[in-house]
Amino acid sequence: MSEPNAPQVPEVPEAPAGPYIYDYKAAPNRQIAMPKTVPLPSRQTYLAEQKAAAEADEAKWQKTLADYETAKAKAEAEGKDAPKAPVRPVPRKDDNDLKTPSPEDAKDADLLKLQALLGDKVEEVFEQAGELVCQVKKEAILEALALCRDEAALKYEMLADQTGTHYPAAKDFAFSVVYHLTSISRRKRLRLRILVPEGFVPESACPLYPSANWMEREIYDMLGIRFANHPDMTRILCPEDWEGYALRKDYPTVGWGQRDISFREDRGGMLERIALQKAGQLGINLKQPKAD
Amino acid sequence: MFKNEEMEINLGPQHPSTHGVLRVKLRLDGETITHCQPIIGYLHRGVEKICENQSFFQGQVWTDRMDYCSAVANNLGWAEANEKLFGITVPRRAQYIRTLLNEFNRIASHLIWLGTHAMDIGALTVFLYAFREREDVLDINEAFCGSRLTTTAFRIGGLREDLPPGFDKMVNKFLAKFSSCLEEYENLLTENRIWKKRTIGVAKLNAEDAIALGVTGPMLRAAGVAYDIRKAFPYAAYAEMDFEVPTRTEADTYARYLVRMAEMRQSARIIQQCMDGMPEGPVMAKLPKILRSEVNEVYHATESPKGEIGYYLVGEKGSLNPYRFHVRAPGFINLQSLPKMAQGGLIADVVAAIGSLDIVLGEIDR
């Protein structure tokens, strides 16, 4: 048995080649599971999903009915009692304060105005949880922002927030970039959204809203989306020589040289030794099973 | 003998007046600043990434640790953003208690600002006075949730516990003395000649620039824009509260000082109203044991002591953790205005500008 307090030198694995420096083997239980769906809220997909779900439900019910008919006919032919008629299940109602908001048709005047002004550059407008969302074509974002800021009926003076999301499971785009605009004079909020594929360089919002400067730098730092005409497109939170983009879904949470301390495994037996030592000081024999 | 060239110096990253690990690159012409560039990221911990890999509930402890001076306000924004995502209605009593604690937090945060800001400029005494009252607020936090700074006070759907017995006595004791305490601070500073010389006309940021740069909170209100999210987009129980939004038009460091002092008075008013009109009833909404999100994205902004703190959440269908967790930190956006305020001023005034921004680097770098 080695000395209990002997320093354990961790074996530092060699960095594998690749875009990221990480070691999956060190911590298999902490691997990132890549998302399989594209959780992009949208009225169109919501309606399509609802329709598909209703159709599937109906088809299932028709199949149950058909099965019942054949079973009934079979029972009659054999002279047995008829089987019980099926009852269509009613969706269960939960007694709680939960009411998940779903995307609804745009009724707000601002959204309709934007749609009228931008025409076919608008991909989608809807409202969800009381928030106005307008998805525009990725090339037209600067035009949409300029309209929102300067149009007398809109007047969104402040760009409160700008951020992005990575959707690796999506086919024709990889990221969404969202702009949260606030109208101080009219007390309104609006979300503009664009979907950009990998490598696409959207126009920077800096000429219109100077507050976009750092936010776009953060998006570049975390997601790797570059913006055109940005005054200073450099990393902001990570060091300049950082590899990879941390908020992408394929970026691992465990890094090279990081030791995964797992107390349950207690690979070196250190914890057991400490426990035995402490127990010995207290006069408890942990090795012997407790008498009933 | 005299060289006529500009000098570049670093303020920070380790400097007592930067309130954390902030580096400001300054280019000087004599004592006048010609170029100012804040450099951040020294405290980046990847809070957003961590919260995306944890359940909806576990994200809360990270909101405490972003801006540790206003943990309750961060918790409130986080809880409400999640409630918006799931569509939860919070009981009225819980709303009132949240409002109450949030206002106490505003007082505590403003007191720590007052103490450190005055200390940066050279008024050392106020620090001791301000921290004396801040202790009382922290005691109230402790009485409510057992912890003083990183409170984790709220839960999704309401509160974990109702108010403890004897809580109203603590609050009344605090309110009874607080206005005289505020007068004490003001006696030390408001008409102080040195304080006025160091703050009046220093680090100006007019309303147009402030709005363009996305500056919110007391900074914006000191420039004459009466934009307070508690009034503009009421949340918690603020729609039922009677309070004013103090504004000044001077847009300098002194105006920001006056706005924050007036805000503390309003906070005390709101606390009194909460205590008087506290409704009875449950403090937690009826929820299923496991919360699974639907496809939804929300941006919820609340008025933290520093400005607008916004949470942007994206929910995946049937998922236990948020697909995307983003924080719009008020300090991050407000700090962008530092070059605008500092350029053209004197080097000693940069410290006043940083102090009047009221930043916490833990929140800026996340």
Side-chain angles (χ1 to χ4, degrees):
Chain A
M1 197 172 147
S2 63
E3 280 291 307
N5 287 335
Q8 292 188 337
V9 183
E11 280 182 26
V12 181
E14 255 182 54
Y20 307 129
I21 308 169
Y22 57 85
D23 183 11
Y24 275 148
K25 276 184 200 157
N29 55 335
R30 284 169 66 189
Q31 274 187 42
I32 292 262
M34 286 293 276
K36 291 181 182 68
T37 59
V38 186
L40 188 78
S42 146
R43 175 79 180 151
Q44 288 156 14
T45 26
Y46 175 73
L47 286 179
E49 272 173 19
Q50 290 286 312
K51 204 179 158 201
E55 274 170 6
D57 191 48
E58 186 61 34
K60 201 179 164 193
W61 171 239
Q62 291 300 339
K63 193 174 174 291
T64 323
L65 273 184
D67 287 353
Y68 168 66
E69 290 298 332
T70 47
K72 201 173 151 191
K74 198 181 164 195
E76 263 178 26
E78 290 173 6
K80 286 182 191 165
D81 291 343
K84 232 169 138 188
V87 185
R88 188 160 192 174
V90 183
R92 198 178 49 169
K93 263 190 186 166
D94 291 330
D95 178 31
N96 55 32
D97 299 335
L98 206 72
K99 199 169 169 292
T100 312
S102 53
E104 286 155 21
D105 281 327
K107 289 187 201 75
D108 194 88
D110 287 15
L111 287 179
L112 299 178
K113 176 104 189 162
L114 257 182
Q115 203 173 16
L117 286 170
L118 282 167
D120 59 347
K121 282 167 195 154
V122 173
E123 287 178 349
E124 193 174 9
V125 284
F126 63 95
E127 294 176 24
Q128 188 170 18
E131 295 187 1
L132 317 177
V133 188
C134 177
Q135 184 180 316
V136 297
K137 282 191 175 157
K138 54 186 183 292
E139 297 84 8
I141 183 63
L142 212 58
E143 193 184 331
L145 282 170
L147 260 183
C148 288
R149 193 187 67 159
D150 301 329
E151 180 68 32
L154 297 171
K155 271 180 105 176
Y156 286 90
E157 297 104 344
M158 190 190 276
L159 176 65
D161 186 28
Q162 183 183 355
T163 187
T165 312
H166 187 206
Y167 294 102
K171 284 190 185 74
D172 46 355
F173 62 94
F175 305 99
S176 76
V177 180
V178 289
Y179 301 73
H180 294 111
L181 302 170
T182 309
S183 173
I184 292 171
S185 51
R186 295 174 57 239
R187 298 191 172 184
K188 278 226 159 175
R189 285 188 192 284
L190 172 77
R191 178 184 305 135
L192 286 182
R193 185 168 80 187
I194 53 171
L195 304 179
V196 295
E198 181 78 67
F200 182 81
V201 184
E203 284 285 322
S204 164
C206 286
L208 295 166
Y209 295 101
S211 61
N213 189 334
W214 280 20
M215 295 190 259
E216 281 173 0
R217 279 178 70 189
E218 196 195 342
I219 294 174
Y220 165 60
D221 192 356
M222 293 291 140
L223 290 161
I225 306 170
R226 300 189 75 96
F227 289 87
N229 302 328
H230 189 279
D232 179 22
M233 196 80 257
T234 50
R235 285 185 180 266
I236 185 163
L237 295 174
C238 294
E240 280 160 30
D241 54 351
W242 194 263
E243 275 186 50
Y245 304 102
L247 280 180
R248 288 194 178 189
K249 294 287 172 193
D250 54 356
Y251 190 89
T253 44
V254 57
W256 173 66
Q258 179 177 352
R259 276 157 292 160
D260 191 48
I261 301 165
S262 176
F263 289 110
R264 272 192 205 144
E265 283 180 23
D266 190 20
R267 283 177 202 153
M270 173 81 95
L271 287 172
E272 201 189 27
R273 273 202 298 281
I274 293 170
L276 284 174
Q277 215 174 4
K278 292 272 174 205
Q281 284 166 6
L282 293 168
I284 307 164
N285 193 350
L286 282 177
K287 293 245 164 150
Q288 233 169 37
K290 226 184 203 174
D292 287 327
Chain B
M1 188 154 185
F2 294 105
K3 279 185 185 167
N4 225 357
E5 61 188 36
E6 291 186 334
M7 185 170 72
E8 204 164 80
I9 66 159
N10 277 315
L11 183 71
Q14 304 288 344
H15 192 273
S17 72
T18 54
H19 300 239
V21 199
L22 165 71
R23 177 175 161 214
V24 188
K25 223 180 189 178
L26 298 170
R27 205 177 301 144
L28 302 174
D29 176 15
E31 273 206 66
T32 315
I33 290 157
T34 54
H35 183 79
C36 164
Q37 185 194 4
I39 295 166
I40 58 170
Y42 293 92
L43 288 178
H44 180 57
R45 296 154 288 172
V47 170
E48 294 180 6
K49 183 80 176 173
I50 294 169
C51 290
E52 280 170 21
N53 289 297
Q54 288 182 335
S55 78
F56 282 102
F57 297 94
Q58 286 171 315
Q60 183 176 21
V61 292
W62 283 99
T63 64
D64 289 330
R65 282 151 185 82
M66 284 190 311
D67 181 355
Y68 36 83
C69 294
S70 54
V72 179
N74 291 4
N75 284 168
L76 181 64
W78 166 85
E80 295 211 327
N82 278 294
E83 281 148 15
K84 210 172 177 182
L85 186 83
F86 291 112
I88 299 168
T89 325
V90 180
R92 198 148 161 268
R93 185 176 170 84
Q95 301 275 35
Y96 264 72
I97 297 174
R98 282 178 173 189
T99 312
L100 176 93
L101 286 173
N102 194 25
E103 288 311 310
F104 266 122
N105 181 231
R106 193 178 309 278
I107 289 176
S109 174
H110 280 2
L111 284 178
I112 203 170
W113 159 80
L114 178 68
T116 51
H117 179 43
M119 197 162 69
D120 288 345
I121 296 184
L124 282 167
T125 321
V126 193
F127 180 80
L128 301 169
Y129 282 73
F131 269 58
R132 186 187 60 192
E133 270 70 60
R134 183 170 169 269
E135 277 304 301
D136 295 342
V137 178
L138 296 189
D139 284 344
I140 287 169
N141 274 351
E142 193 180 359
F144 176 70
C145 58
S147 129
R148 293 160 71 81
L149 266 179
T150 50
T151 50
T152 322
F154 310 135
R155 297 290 180 273
I156 298 174
L159 311 169
R160 190 169 174 269
E161 297 282 341
D162 209 332
L163 292 178
F167 189 81
D168 50 344
K169 223 176 264 173
M170 280 180 100
V171 174
N172 289 337
K173 201 175 142 200
F174 178 82
L175 289 180
K177 70 165 186 182
F178 186 61
S179 69
S180 66
C181 295
L182 274 174
E183 272 166 31
E184 271 180 7
Y185 317 140
E186 287 180 336
N187 284 343
L188 284 169
L189 292 177
T190 308
E191 291 303 323
N192 184 332
R193 269 189 304 169
I194 306 169
W195 177 258
K196 279 174 122 176
K197 276 210 161 174
R198 282 301 309 274
T199 54
I200 290 181
V202 166
K204 281 200 164 201
L205 184 73
N206 63 28
E208 272 171 40
D209 289 339
I211 290 173
L213 286 164
V215 174
T216 47
M219 295 276 297
L220 185 59
R221 290 193 281 277
V225 184
Y227 174 61
D228 189 321
I229 301 168
R230 291 175 292 171
K231 281 267 187 215
F233 306 97
Y235 57 95
Y238 284 110
E240 299 166 34
M241 299 293 153
D242 175 33
F243 65 99
E244 284 156 26
V245 180
T247 52
R248 304 287 298 186
T249 47
E250 294 89 346
D252 57 4
T253 309
Y254 190 65
R256 284 166 214 149
Y257 157 73
L258 292 176
V259 163
R260 285 196 175 99
M261 294 308 269
E263 269 183 20
M264 282 198 262
R265 290 220 157 76
Q266 298 299 327
S267 291
R269 256 180 86 187
I270 296 173
I271 291 168
Q272 188 64 59
Q273 288 172 46
C274 283
M275 290 309 285
D276 292 345
M278 182 73 74
E280 291 298 321
V283 292
M284 189 72 188
K286 264 195 233 162
L287 295 177
K289 284 259 162 57
I290 299 169
L291 280 177
R292 285 184 188 276
S293 62
E294 291 290 318
V295 177
N296 193 355
E297 61 178 338
V298 292
Y299 174 77
H300 187 72
T302 53
E303 183 79 23
S304 99
K306 270 94 181 170
E308 171 177 338
I309 182 155
Y311 288 89
Y312 172 70
L313 298 174
V314 177
E316 194 178 5
K317 191 171 173 60
S319 176
L320 291 172
N321 49 351
Y323 186 84
R324 178 86 173 88
F325 182 101
H326 170 74
V327 189
R328 184 250 194 235
F332 181 78
I333 314 285
N334 286 2
L335 187 60
Q336 269 194 86
S337 64
L338 182 63
K340 196 100 196 166
M341 291 196 288
Q343 276 166 21
L346 300 175
I347 183 166
D349 294 340
V350 178
V351 174
I354 294 172
S356 75
L357 274 167
D358 189 13
I359 49 169
V360 167
L361 268 294
E363 167 196 67
I364 289 170
D365 296 339
R366 280 159 286 152

